[in-house]
Amino acid sequence: MIRHLNDQELASATAGFPLAPEQQAHLEGCISCRRSVDHFLDQVNERRRSIGREAPDWDAQTKKIVDALPLTQVTHINSRRRWLTPLLAAAATITIVVGIGLIVQRTGPASISSSRSEIEIEEILAQADSLLADEGIPGFDMFDDMTDDDLTALFEAKNS
Amino acid sequence: MMTAVRHQPPLDEQQLVEKARVGDREAFGTLVTRHQRRIWLVCRQYVGSDEADAASQDALVKAYTRLDAFDGRAAFVTWVTRIAINTCLDLLRKRRREGLRVVENDCDGHSPILEIPDDRAGPEEQARQRQTIARLKEAEAELSDRQREVFRLRFYAQMSLGEIADSLDVHIGTVKTLLHRAVHRMRRELGDIR
């Protein structure tokens, strides 16, 4: 059998904290230590019962509370979130502006290159025209000096 | 032919909270019925019996209007208890601002003679009860504010250590230390030290 519990251990037992196994075993077997704990708890329970006797009529209390509730539930904006709204709006604006900037940056060179390709095609076609204008096409030499009327008369005579 | 009567199983806490969140006052009434005793006992420890009814009503109505802020991380009752404690502290601050006397160390402001004894007890037993309660209140008066707060929440409002820690937003180890010191000191004040 170990010694009686000291004040600190009795306080722990009274507060409901777990004791070391040998202390717990002693408390269970020692009338003196148990009485010390129980005496304090009896006084506390006495006071708690006294407070309980002051309690209101719970049904009436519930009715008062329910009657005092607002008819419609109000969406309460959390105060922590209040500062977040303008911050999110600013972030969204910046994102949109940066996004548009990126799109413009990407589409700019593409339009230049397409206009460049159009210029190149125009140049090639112009060169082909000038080539055809300057030199006759081989095999078609006899037609080069003929006018449109001559060509029409030639085709009509051939068909008849 | 007998008709089977089907009983609806009671709604759990989360279902009631969800219903109350969209304006179901009856669902909130059920939550009130479940937890108002605890909330009243908590308010009683801070503002005394005269104002405990009004403070607990105020706290529960506030809880209803702020339900969208309840994220379910703590139990509903713990969340409401925190609101109740804040409501009571606001009330005490208001009293101080208005220059009203705050009865330090004895929030109920009652003289011991006004403590309500058990009606069923005889005159001698009632006198003994009053004496016990008076001694206990005197011993409580020797505690620090924080020790007394934790002591009352644990023994009178019968909250667990975890619930007290969550409600006061402190570490559970702090609650244990405060409670141990409070009990040790109370035992000494009451002459229970051997």
Side-chain angles (χ1 to χ4, degrees):
Chain A
M1 189 95 172
I2 68 159
R3 56 163 176 78
H4 285 302
L5 301 184
N6 65 30
D7 294 338
Q8 297 290 343
E9 290 159 352
L10 284 169
S12 291
T14 309
F17 298 156
L19 298 172
E22 64 273 19
Q23 291 165 355
Q24 185 62 40
H26 173 84
L27 182 65
E28 285 166 10
C30 175
I31 294 171
S32 172
C33 287
R34 222 172 44 242
R35 189 180 291 156
S36 175
V37 171
D38 290 347
H39 181 243
F40 181 86
L41 292 177
D42 285 346
Q43 293 176 85
V44 169
N45 289 336
E46 190 89 73
R47 175 129 161 82
R48 187 175 60 243
R49 282 193 293 272
S50 164
I51 290 168
R53 286 191 287 272
E54 298 169 3
D57 174 349
W58 296 123
D59 289 340
Q61 181 85 342
T62 304
K63 190 175 181 312
K64 277 184 192 170
I65 292 164
V66 172
D67 287 349
L69 298 178
L71 289 173
T72 52
Q73 186 60 285
V74 181
T75 305
H76 181 84
I77 298 170
N78 192 334
S79 58
R80 283 182 189 173
R81 289 181 194 160
R82 267 183 209 149
W83 59 269
L84 205 60
T85 310
L87 197 70
L88 283 174
T93 309
I94 290 167
T95 308
I96 290 166
V97 168
V98 170
I100 289 170
L102 283 173
I103 289 165
V104 167
Q105 202 177 1
R106 281 184 187 172
T107 54
S111 63
I112 291 164
S113 67
S114 71
S115 63
R116 267 188 195 159
S117 69
E118 280 172 18
I119 290 166
E120 283 167 7
I121 290 167
E122 289 296 324
E123 282 174 358
I124 292 164
L125 288 173
Q127 283 172 6
D129 284 346
S130 62
L131 193 71
L132 287 171
D134 293 345
E135 296 171 18
I137 299 170
F140 288 82
D141 303 341
M142 62 174 291
F143 301 114
D144 286 347
D145 297 330
M146 295 174 85
T147 62
D148 287 347
D149 291 338
D150 295 336
L151 283 171
T152 307
L154 180 67
F155 281 117
E156 280 174 357
K158 197 175 182 183
N159 288 334
S160 62
Chain B
M1 187 176 157
M2 285 187 63
T3 313
V5 179
R6 285 189 180 180
H7 293 284
Q8 288 281 340
L11 292 174
D12 71 22
E13 199 98 323
Q14 191 55 38
Q15 287 173 309
L16 289 168
V17 169
E18 290 307 324
K19 278 171 164 275
R21 218 194 281 269
V22 292
D24 187 334
R25 290 147 54 99
E26 196 179 328
F28 192 75
T30 307
L31 289 168
V32 169
T33 305
R34 284 186 191 177
H35 302 302
Q36 64 175 335
R37 185 176 178 277
R38 148 76 74 79
I39 301 305
W40 182 86
L41 283 169
V42 169
C43 292
R44 169 66 179 74
Q45 308 317 319
Y46 286 88
V47 295
S49 60
D50 287 349
E51 292 184 89
D53 293 9
S56 56
Q57 285 170 23
D58 192 17
L60 284 159
V61 172
K62 268 185 199 166
Y64 178 76
T65 59
R66 293 176 187 178
L67 270 176
D68 60 332
F70 174 61
D71 56 13
R73 276 185 294 180
F76 176 74
V77 68
T78 307
W79 180 73
V80 182
T81 301
R82 198 180 296 175
I83 292 175
I85 291 172
N86 287 334
T87 301
C88 292
L89 294 177
D90 286 346
L91 194 62
L92 293 174
R93 277 192 283 269
K94 192 179 165 197
R95 273 195 212 164
R96 278 206 178 89
R97 275 201 305 274
E98 291 173 354
L100 295 174
R101 182 170 160 262
V102 178
V103 185
E104 297 291 352
N105 301 328
D106 183 6
C107 65
D108 41 30
H110 284 164
S111 68
I113 200 76
L114 292 178
E115 286 290 342
I116 303 172
D118 188 352
D119 290 338
R120 293 166 300 182
E124 277 183 27
E125 178 59 17
Q126 286 191 14
R128 190 199 61 76
Q129 285 176 6
R130 283 198 181 100
Q131 196 179 11
T132 300
I133 291 164
R135 285 181 64 222
L136 206 63
K137 287 172 74 171
E138 282 170 17
E140 275 182 40
E142 298 302 316
L143 302 178
S144 72
D145 288 347
R146 208 57 162 165
Q147 286 173 354
R148 187 168 47 255
E149 184 177 36
V150 169
F151 181 85
R152 287 176 169 177
L153 291 177
R154 178 74 189 98
F155 285 108
Y156 303 146
Q158 294 186 290
M159 290 168 67
S160 71
L161 298 176
E163 286 173 330
I164 296 170
D166 285 345
S167 299
L168 300 180
D169 204 15
V170 295
H171 194 270
I172 194 166
T174 308
V175 175
K176 283 182 183 176
T177 305
L178 287 165
L179 186 63
H180 189 274
R181 286 181 186 163
V183 170
H184 186 255
R185 189 158 185 185
M186 290 275 288
R187 284 174 53 84
R188 197 173 61 202
E189 293 296 329
L190 293 167
D192 285 352
I193 298 284
R194 287 190 298 222

PDB file of all heavy atoms in Angstrom, chain B residues 35-57:
ATOM      1  N   HIS B  35     -30.005  22.597 -26.452  1.00  0.00           N
ATOM      2  CA  HIS B  35     -28.790  23.208 -25.898  1.00  0.00           C
ATOM      3  C   HIS B  35     -28.998  24.417 -24.981  1.00  0.00           C
ATOM      4  O   HIS B  35     -28.036  24.952 -24.453  1.00  0.00           O
ATOM      5  CB  HIS B  35     -27.869  23.629 -27.056  1.00  0.00           C
ATOM      6  CG  HIS B  35     -27.488  22.495 -27.940  1.00  0.00           C
ATOM      7  ND1 HIS B  35     -26.835  21.369 -27.478  1.00  0.00           N
ATOM      8  CD2 HIS B  35     -27.687  22.282 -29.268  1.00  0.00           C
ATOM      9  CE1 HIS B  35     -26.646  20.535 -28.477  1.00  0.00           C
ATOM     10  NE2 HIS B  35     -27.151  21.058 -29.573  1.00  0.00           N
ATOM     11  N   GLN B  36     -30.242  24.840 -24.814  1.00  0.00           N
ATOM     12  CA  GLN B  36     -30.430  26.089 -24.072  1.00  0.00           C
ATOM     13  C   GLN B  36     -30.016  25.981 -22.593  1.00  0.00           C
ATOM     14  O   GLN B  36     -29.580  26.961 -21.999  1.00  0.00           O
ATOM     15  CB  GLN B  36     -31.865  26.586 -24.183  1.00  0.00           C
ATOM     16  CG  GLN B  36     -32.897  25.663 -23.572  1.00  0.00           C
ATOM     17  CD  GLN B  36     -34.283  26.295 -23.630  1.00  0.00           C
ATOM     18  OE1 GLN B  36     -34.412  27.503 -23.682  1.00  0.00           O
ATOM     19  NE2 GLN B  36     -35.314  25.467 -23.641  1.00  0.00           N
ATOM     20  N   ARG B  37     -30.131  24.790 -22.033  1.00  0.00           N
ATOM     21  CA  ARG B  37     -29.749  24.647 -20.625  1.00  0.00           C
ATOM     22  C   ARG B  37     -28.259  24.952 -20.454  1.00  0.00           C
ATOM     23  O   ARG B  37     -27.866  25.689 -19.554  1.00  0.00           O
ATOM     24  CB  ARG B  37     -30.063  23.222 -20.138  1.00  0.00           C
ATOM     25  CG  ARG B  37     -29.811  23.035 -18.659  1.00  0.00           C
ATOM     26  CD  ARG B  37     -30.210  21.644 -18.180  1.00  0.00           C
ATOM     27  NE  ARG B  37     -29.914  21.502 -16.769  1.00  0.00           N
ATOM     28  CZ  ARG B  37     -28.737  21.182 -16.293  1.00  0.00           C
ATOM     29  NH1 ARG B  37     -27.741  20.961 -17.140  1.00  0.00           N
ATOM     30  NH2 ARG B  37     -28.528  21.092 -14.998  1.00  0.00           N
ATOM     31  N   ARG B  38     -27.464  24.362 -21.332  1.00  0.00           N
ATOM     32  CA  ARG B  38     -26.019  24.602 -21.291  1.00  0.00           C
ATOM     33  C   ARG B  38     -25.716  26.096 -21.482  1.00  0.00           C
ATOM     34  O   ARG B  38     -24.914  26.684 -20.754  1.00  0.00           O
ATOM     35  CB  ARG B  38     -25.344  23.768 -22.370  1.00  0.00           C
ATOM     36  CG  ARG B  38     -24.095  24.387 -22.993  1.00  0.00           C
ATOM     37  CD  ARG B  38     -22.895  24.303 -22.095  1.00  0.00           C
ATOM     38  NE  ARG B  38     -22.409  22.955 -22.083  1.00  0.00           N
ATOM     39  CZ  ARG B  38     -21.657  22.422 -23.052  1.00  0.00           C
ATOM     40  NH1 ARG B  38     -21.298  23.164 -24.064  1.00  0.00           N
ATOM     41  NH2 ARG B  38     -21.243  21.198 -22.985  1.00  0.00           N
ATOM     42  N   ILE B  39     -26.390  26.686 -22.472  1.00  0.00           N
ATOM     43  CA  ILE B  39     -26.123  28.095 -22.784  1.00  0.00           C
ATOM     44  C   ILE B  39     -26.532  28.979 -21.603  1.00  0.00           C
ATOM     45  O   ILE B  39     -25.805  29.906 -21.226  1.00  0.00           O
ATOM     46  CB  ILE B  39     -26.875  28.526 -24.078  1.00  0.00           C
ATOM     47  CG1 ILE B  39     -26.432  27.665 -25.268  1.00  0.00           C
ATOM     48  CG2 ILE B  39     -26.646  30.002 -24.389  1.00  0.00           C
ATOM     49  CD1 ILE B  39     -24.937  27.647 -25.536  1.00  0.00           C
ATOM     50  N   TRP B  40     -27.640  28.648 -21.003  1.00  0.00           N
ATOM     51  CA  TRP B  40     -28.089  29.426 -19.835  1.00  0.00           C
ATOM     52  C   TRP B  40     -27.083  29.284 -18.683  1.00  0.00           C
ATOM     53  O   TRP B  40     -26.736  30.271 -18.028  1.00  0.00           O
ATOM     54  CB  TRP B  40     -29.481  28.946 -19.391  1.00  0.00           C
ATOM     55  CG  TRP B  40     -30.017  29.740 -18.225  1.00  0.00           C
ATOM     56  CD1 TRP B  40     -30.712  30.917 -18.277  1.00  0.00           C
ATOM     57  CD2 TRP B  40     -29.867  29.429 -16.832  1.00  0.00           C
ATOM     58  NE1 TRP B  40     -30.997  31.355 -17.010  1.00  0.00           N
ATOM     59  CE2 TRP B  40     -30.495  30.455 -16.105  1.00  0.00           C
ATOM     60  CE3 TRP B  40     -29.272  28.384 -16.134  1.00  0.00           C
ATOM     61  CZ2 TRP B  40     -30.536  30.469 -14.701  1.00  0.00           C
ATOM     62  CZ3 TRP B  40     -29.306  28.399 -14.741  1.00  0.00           C
ATOM     63  CH2 TRP B  40     -29.938  29.436 -14.045  1.00  0.00           C
ATOM     64  N   LEU B  41     -26.613  28.060 -18.435  1.00  0.00           N
ATOM     65  CA  LEU B  41     -25.650  27.830 -17.350  1.00  0.00           C
ATOM     66  C   LEU B  41     -24.351  28.609 -17.593  1.00  0.00           C
ATOM     67  O   LEU B  41     -23.764  29.151 -16.660  1.00  0.00           O
ATOM     68  CB  LEU B  41     -25.338  26.331 -17.204  1.00  0.00           C
ATOM     69  CG  LEU B  41     -26.419  25.506 -16.496  1.00  0.00           C
ATOM     70  CD1 LEU B  41     -26.136  24.015 -16.649  1.00  0.00           C
ATOM     71  CD2 LEU B  41     -26.514  25.869 -15.017  1.00  0.00           C
ATOM     72  N   VAL B  42     -23.935  28.656 -18.853  1.00  0.00           N
ATOM     73  CA  VAL B  42     -22.726  29.426 -19.181  1.00  0.00           C
ATOM     74  C   VAL B  42     -22.972  30.914 -18.893  1.00  0.00           C
ATOM     75  O   VAL B  42     -22.169  31.568 -18.217  1.00  0.00           O
ATOM     76  CB  VAL B  42     -22.325  29.208 -20.663  1.00  0.00           C
ATOM     77  CG1 VAL B  42     -21.255  30.207 -21.086  1.00  0.00           C
ATOM     78  CG2 VAL B  42     -21.825  27.787 -20.869  1.00  0.00           C
ATOM     79  N   CYS B  43     -24.102  31.423 -19.395  1.00  0.00           N
ATOM     80  CA  CYS B  43     -24.410  32.849 -19.177  1.00  0.00           C
ATOM     81  C   CYS B  43     -24.540  33.143 -17.683  1.00  0.00           C
ATOM     82  O   CYS B  43     -24.107  34.202 -17.207  1.00  0.00           O
ATOM     83  CB  CYS B  43     -25.702  33.236 -19.895  1.00  0.00           C
ATOM     84  SG  CYS B  43     -25.555  33.187 -21.685  1.00  0.00           S
ATOM     85  N   ARG B  44     -25.103  32.191 -16.959  1.00  0.00           N
ATOM     86  CA  ARG B  44     -25.288  32.363 -15.508  1.00  0.00           C
ATOM     87  C   ARG B  44     -23.941  32.579 -14.807  1.00  0.00           C
ATOM     88  O   ARG B  44     -23.860  33.332 -13.839  1.00  0.00           O
ATOM     89  CB  ARG B  44     -25.991  31.119 -14.963  1.00  0.00           C
ATOM     90  CG  ARG B  44     -26.051  30.952 -13.457  1.00  0.00           C
ATOM     91  CD  ARG B  44     -26.891  32.013 -12.814  1.00  0.00           C
ATOM     92  NE  ARG B  44     -26.957  31.841 -11.367  1.00  0.00           N
ATOM     93  CZ  ARG B  44     -25.969  32.107 -10.523  1.00  0.00           C
ATOM     94  NH1 ARG B  44     -24.816  32.535 -10.973  1.00  0.00           N
ATOM     95  NH2 ARG B  44     -26.141  31.938  -9.224  1.00  0.00           N
ATOM     96  N   GLN B  45     -22.895  31.928 -15.305  1.00  0.00           N
ATOM     97  CA  GLN B  45     -21.571  32.051 -14.672  1.00  0.00           C
ATOM     98  C   GLN B  45     -20.946  33.423 -14.926  1.00  0.00           C
ATOM     99  O   GLN B  45     -20.104  33.866 -14.163  1.00  0.00           O
ATOM    100  CB  GLN B  45     -20.608  30.974 -15.186  1.00  0.00           C
ATOM    101  CG  GLN B  45     -21.124  29.551 -15.113  1.00  0.00           C
ATOM    102  CD  GLN B  45     -21.836  29.245 -13.820  1.00  0.00           C
ATOM    103  OE1 GLN B  45     -21.410  29.648 -12.746  1.00  0.00           O
ATOM    104  NE2 GLN B  45     -22.961  28.555 -13.924  1.00  0.00           N
ATOM    105  N   TYR B  46     -21.363  34.065 -16.001  1.00  0.00           N
ATOM    106  CA  TYR B  46     -20.741  35.348 -16.357  1.00  0.00           C
ATOM    107  C   TYR B  46     -21.552  36.544 -15.855  1.00  0.00           C
ATOM    108  O   TYR B  46     -20.982  37.491 -15.329  1.00  0.00           O
ATOM    109  CB  TYR B  46     -20.564  35.462 -17.878  1.00  0.00           C
ATOM    110  CG  TYR B  46     -19.442  34.614 -18.423  1.00  0.00           C
ATOM    111  CD1 TYR B  46     -19.652  33.302 -18.788  1.00  0.00           C
ATOM    112  CD2 TYR B  46     -18.153  35.133 -18.549  1.00  0.00           C
ATOM    113  CE1 TYR B  46     -18.626  32.520 -19.277  1.00  0.00           C
ATOM    114  CE2 TYR B  46     -17.115  34.359 -19.045  1.00  0.00           C
ATOM    115  CZ  TYR B  46     -17.364  33.053 -19.401  1.00  0.00           C
ATOM    116  OH  TYR B  46     -16.336  32.280 -19.881  1.00  0.00           O
ATOM    117  N   VAL B  47     -22.875  36.506 -16.076  1.00  0.00           N
ATOM    118  CA  VAL B  47     -23.670  37.712 -15.797  1.00  0.00           C
ATOM    119  C   VAL B  47     -24.631  37.554 -14.628  1.00  0.00           C
ATOM    120  O   VAL B  47     -25.321  38.520 -14.279  1.00  0.00           O
ATOM    121  CB  VAL B  47     -24.455  38.166 -17.062  1.00  0.00           C
ATOM    122  CG1 VAL B  47     -23.504  38.587 -18.155  1.00  0.00           C
ATOM    123  CG2 VAL B  47     -25.399  37.081 -17.550  1.00  0.00           C
ATOM    124  N   GLY B  48     -24.670  36.364 -14.037  1.00  0.00           N
ATOM    125  CA  GLY B  48     -25.553  36.173 -12.890  1.00  0.00           C
ATOM    126  C   GLY B  48     -26.962  35.803 -13.315  1.00  0.00           C
ATOM    127  O   GLY B  48     -27.327  35.900 -14.478  1.00  0.00           O
ATOM    128  N   SER B  49     -27.746  35.395 -12.321  1.00  0.00           N
ATOM    129  CA  SER B  49     -29.072  34.847 -12.637  1.00  0.00           C
ATOM    130  C   SER B  49     -30.037  35.915 -13.150  1.00  0.00           C
ATOM    131  O   SER B  49     -30.921  35.610 -13.948  1.00  0.00           O
ATOM    132  CB  SER B  49     -29.661  34.153 -11.412  1.00  0.00           C
ATOM    133  OG  SER B  49     -29.775  35.085 -10.368  1.00  0.00           O
ATOM    134  N   ASP B  50     -29.850  37.168 -12.713  1.00  0.00           N
ATOM    135  CA  ASP B  50     -30.785  38.222 -13.147  1.00  0.00           C
ATOM    136  C   ASP B  50     -30.762  38.417 -14.653  1.00  0.00           C
ATOM    137  O   ASP B  50     -31.796  38.696 -15.255  1.00  0.00           O
ATOM    138  CB  ASP B  50     -30.438  39.557 -12.475  1.00  0.00           C
ATOM    139  CG  ASP B  50     -30.810  39.556 -11.001  1.00  0.00           C
ATOM    140  OD1 ASP B  50     -31.520  38.613 -10.593  1.00  0.00           O
ATOM    141  OD2 ASP B  50     -30.387  40.472 -10.273  1.00  0.00           O
ATOM    142  N   GLU B  51     -29.592  38.294 -15.239  1.00  0.00           N
ATOM    143  CA  GLU B  51     -29.470  38.585 -16.669  1.00  0.00           C
ATOM    144  C   GLU B  51     -29.213  37.349 -17.520  1.00  0.00           C
ATOM    145  O   GLU B  51     -29.073  37.467 -18.739  1.00  0.00           O
ATOM    146  CB  GLU B  51     -28.350  39.614 -16.892  1.00  0.00           C
ATOM    147  CG  GLU B  51     -28.727  40.978 -16.338  1.00  0.00           C
ATOM    148  CD  GLU B  51     -27.674  42.025 -16.643  1.00  0.00           C
ATOM    149  OE1 GLU B  51     -27.773  42.634 -17.701  1.00  0.00           O
ATOM    150  OE2 GLU B  51     -26.771  42.207 -15.816  1.00  0.00           O
ATOM    151  N   ALA B  52     -29.131  36.203 -16.861  1.00  0.00           N
ATOM    152  CA  ALA B  52     -28.805  34.980 -17.619  1.00  0.00           C
ATOM    153  C   ALA B  52     -29.881  34.637 -18.652  1.00  0.00           C
ATOM    154  O   ALA B  52     -29.559  34.223 -19.770  1.00  0.00           O
ATOM    155  CB  ALA B  52     -28.602  33.811 -16.663  1.00  0.00           C
ATOM    156  N   ASP B  53     -31.149  34.836 -18.290  1.00  0.00           N
ATOM    157  CA  ASP B  53     -32.236  34.515 -19.233  1.00  0.00           C
ATOM    158  C   ASP B  53     -32.110  35.363 -20.495  1.00  0.00           C
ATOM    159  O   ASP B  53     -32.118  34.845 -21.619  1.00  0.00           O
ATOM    160  CB  ASP B  53     -33.615  34.786 -18.603  1.00  0.00           C
ATOM    161  CG  ASP B  53     -33.927  33.858 -17.449  1.00  0.00           C
ATOM    162  OD1 ASP B  53     -33.017  33.123 -17.028  1.00  0.00           O
ATOM    163  OD2 ASP B  53     -35.069  33.872 -16.971  1.00  0.00           O
ATOM    164  N   ALA B  54     -31.975  36.673 -20.288  1.00  0.00           N
ATOM    165  CA  ALA B  54     -31.911  37.595 -21.436  1.00  0.00           C
ATOM    166  C   ALA B  54     -30.643  37.356 -22.252  1.00  0.00           C
ATOM    167  O   ALA B  54     -30.676  37.365 -23.492  1.00  0.00           O
ATOM    168  CB  ALA B  54     -31.960  39.031 -20.944  1.00  0.00           C
ATOM    169  N   ALA B  55     -29.519  37.130 -21.555  1.00  0.00           N
ATOM    170  CA  ALA B  55     -28.247  36.930 -22.259  1.00  0.00           C
ATOM    171  C   ALA B  55     -28.284  35.655 -23.096  1.00  0.00           C
ATOM    172  O   ALA B  55     -27.798  35.634 -24.236  1.00  0.00           O
ATOM    173  CB  ALA B  55     -27.097  36.880 -21.263  1.00  0.00           C
ATOM    174  N   SER B  56     -28.858  34.588 -22.543  1.00  0.00           N
ATOM    175  CA  SER B  56     -28.890  33.336 -23.303  1.00  0.00           C
ATOM    176  C   SER B  56     -29.848  33.450 -24.494  1.00  0.00           C
ATOM    177  O   SER B  56     -29.575  32.918 -25.576  1.00  0.00           O
ATOM    178  CB  SER B  56     -29.261  32.145 -22.413  1.00  0.00           C
ATOM    179  OG  SER B  56     -30.493  32.364 -21.776  1.00  0.00           O
ATOM    180  N   GLN B  57     -30.963  34.174 -24.292  1.00  0.00           N
ATOM    181  CA  GLN B  57     -31.879  34.411 -25.435  1.00  0.00           C
ATOM    182  C   GLN B  57     -31.154  35.186 -26.532  1.00  0.00           C
ATOM    183  O   GLN B  57     -31.212  34.831 -27.717  1.00  0.00           O
ATOM    184  CB  GLN B  57     -33.086  35.234 -24.980  1.00  0.00           C
ATOM    185  CG  GLN B  57     -34.106  34.465 -24.163  1.00  0.00           C
ATOM    186  CD  GLN B  57     -35.148  35.389 -23.546  1.00  0.00           C
ATOM    187  OE1 GLN B  57     -35.386  36.499 -24.018  1.00  0.00           O
ATOM    188  NE2 GLN B  57     -35.751  34.938 -22.471  1.00  0.00           N
TER     189      GLN B  57
END
